[in-house]
Amino acid sequence: MVFLTKFEFLLFSALFGLIFGSFINVLIYRIPKIIFHEYDLAIIDYLKSHLSNSLLRDIKPIKVRKKIRSLIRSANDTQEYNIFLPSSYCPKCKTKIRFFNNIPIISYLLLKGKCRACSSPIGIVYPMVESISTFGSVGLAYLMLIEHDSATLSLILNLIFFDILFMLSIALFVIDCRYKLLPDALTLPLGFLGIIFCAFKPSHIEINESIFGGLVGFSVLWILFWSHKFFSGKEGLGRGDIKLTGALGAWVGISNIMNVLLIASVLGLLASGLMMFLKKHSYNQTIAFGPFLIIGTHFIIIKEFLL
């Protein structure tokens, strides 16, 4: 039987969190750029197909006409851009980052938070995400070891799945705070992973409870979304919030998804009230709801399944 000692299990969790924390930074930076890049290409394709040369010549002012022509020409020079291409580079000077300058946390400390080529500052979010990922992974491993003398294969699989949930949650948390965006590229795989996890014996809930948890979570917010839009004419929730709730429901199950929504709603109201009190937020402004759903989910998972 495969097993690790407590020290080996904690060391494994730290390395897992450190390595994948670096990958989470890639997701946080690149996925929104990919989405915005696709929007730009769609606009350019529309312009190319609907603007003839005669119509383009009639556009005023001249600066706008030149900008449109520049956008259309740039579409032919667009390089492939995805999670893996091009390789990491400094956004300021465009210098490629060598592998020894891209070691999680360590490189940031050695470079004193600056690009080696141009000395422009490196965002503090990068080492923060890597640190949270690492310490969070170790924390999960520690909670799992409370009632065990060693880590069996079952416990190792549990840690890997919970770590993936935790790290994808970090990416969604940061992206939603920055852009009020919850990409399908993260929420949909998160939901499927929850169902896959619950298909294994080490899981905390049965697969049918996982599937119904996802369906209930999605349905509740879908009904709220369309009810609010019907009566007010406005969208009170983002469509990404609906999909995220469905994905998280697959992890916590039908018996816990309503508790997640209750915690998220209370936290959202408190945060919104505090921001309005500090005059950082007005009544008509919306706030990102995804981070509160994520906090509620992890609170339930720790309380119900790990403690």
Side-chain angles (χ1 to χ4, degrees):
M1 180 181 291
V2 178
F3 73 94
L4 298 175
T5 65
K6 286 188 175 184
F7 175 78
E8 290 170 340
F9 189 55
L10 292 172
L11 180 61
F12 169 79
S13 67
L15 292 174
F16 190 91
L18 189 65
I19 293 169
F20 280 88
S22 180
F23 179 65
I24 291 306
N25 272 323
V26 174
L27 297 181
I28 291 170
Y29 179 76
R30 295 202 175 203
I31 286 182
K33 285 197 71 172
I34 291 169
I35 293 172
F36 298 143
H37 181 66
E38 288 174 350
Y39 286 161
D40 290 343
L41 288 180
I43 293 170
I44 291 167
D45 286 341
Y46 178 85
L47 293 174
K48 288 172 70 175
S49 60
H50 289 79
L51 277 179
S52 63
N53 288 330
S54 58
L55 286 174
L56 195 56
R57 284 195 294 268
D58 294 335
I59 292 177
K60 302 275 195 278
I62 296 174
K63 285 184 178 180
V64 175
R65 184 163 69 239
K66 287 183 177 179
K67 181 64 175 177
I68 292 173
R69 280 180 172 158
S70 173
L71 284 171
I72 293 173
R73 282 196 300 269
S74 68
N76 299 322
D77 301 325
T78 301
Q79 64 174 332
E80 186 176 2
Y81 192 92
N82 54 43
I83 294 297
F84 305 102
L85 293 173
S87 56
S88 298
Y89 60 89
C90 172
K92 295 290 184 182
C93 65
K94 308 302 179 184
T95 301
K96 286 187 178 181
I97 300 174
R98 306 291 294 274
F99 73 93
F100 50 79
N101 291 328
N102 210 16
I103 303 171
I105 300 177
I106 297 172
S107 291
Y108 183 87
L109 296 174
L110 292 176
L111 294 171
K112 298 179 181 178
K114 296 179 180 179
C115 170
R116 185 183 292 275
C118 66
S119 297
S120 60
I122 301 171
I124 190 65
V125 172
Y126 293 102
M128 282 182 63
V129 166
E130 291 163 355
S131 300
I132 292 170
S133 174
T134 303
F135 288 109
S137 179
V138 172
L140 287 170
Y142 177 79
L143 291 175
M144 290 179 182
L145 286 172
I146 290 176
E147 296 181 355
H148 298 84
D149 295 324
S150 61
T152 61
L153 180 60
S154 172
L155 213 60
I156 294 169
L157 284 174
N158 265 357
L159 175 67
I160 291 172
F161 272 101
F162 277 129
D163 268 348
I164 292 172
L165 166 64
F166 178 61
M167 292 171 198
L168 289 180
S169 296
I170 294 172
L172 287 163
F173 191 105
V174 176
I175 292 172
D176 201 19
C177 286
R178 280 184 178 176
Y179 305 104
K180 291 185 181 176
L181 177 69
L182 292 167
D184 290 350
L186 294 178
T187 55
L188 298 183
L190 186 65
F192 285 118
L193 279 170
I195 295 172
I196 292 169
F197 175 49
C198 294
F200 289 110
K201 281 187 178 180
S203 170
H204 49 280
I205 58 174
E206 298 293 333
I207 187 170
N208 59 339
E209 189 178 354
S210 169
I211 293 171
F212 281 111
L215 290 174
V216 168
F218 182 91
S219 300
V220 168
L221 260 69
W222 185 85
I223 292 169
L224 288 174
F225 174 88
W226 287 107
S227 299
H228 186 276
K229 190 170 184 178
F230 177 79
F231 289 108
S232 68
K234 299 177 182 179
E235 295 185 358
L237 284 168
R239 296 171 192 260
D241 295 319
I242 302 173
K243 296 171 189 175
L244 177 61
T245 306
L248 296 175
W251 286 87
V252 299
I254 191 171
S255 59
N256 290 295
I257 187 59
M258 297 308 295
N259 290 333
V260 169
L261 288 172
L262 177 61
I263 293 168
S265 300
V266 171
L267 291 176
L269 286 171
L270 290 174
S272 183
L274 179 62
M275 291 171 69
M276 284 190 287
F277 177 76
L278 297 174
K279 297 183 179 179
K280 302 286 186 181
H281 183 76
S282 68
Y283 177 77
N284 293 323
Q285 284 181 293
T286 59
I287 63 172
F289 190 53
F292 303 111
L293 288 169
I294 289 166
I295 292 171
T297 298
H298 285 80
F299 175 83
I300 291 296
I301 285 177
I302 291 172
K303 177 179 178 294
E304 297 292 329
F305 309 129
L306 298 178
L307 290 180

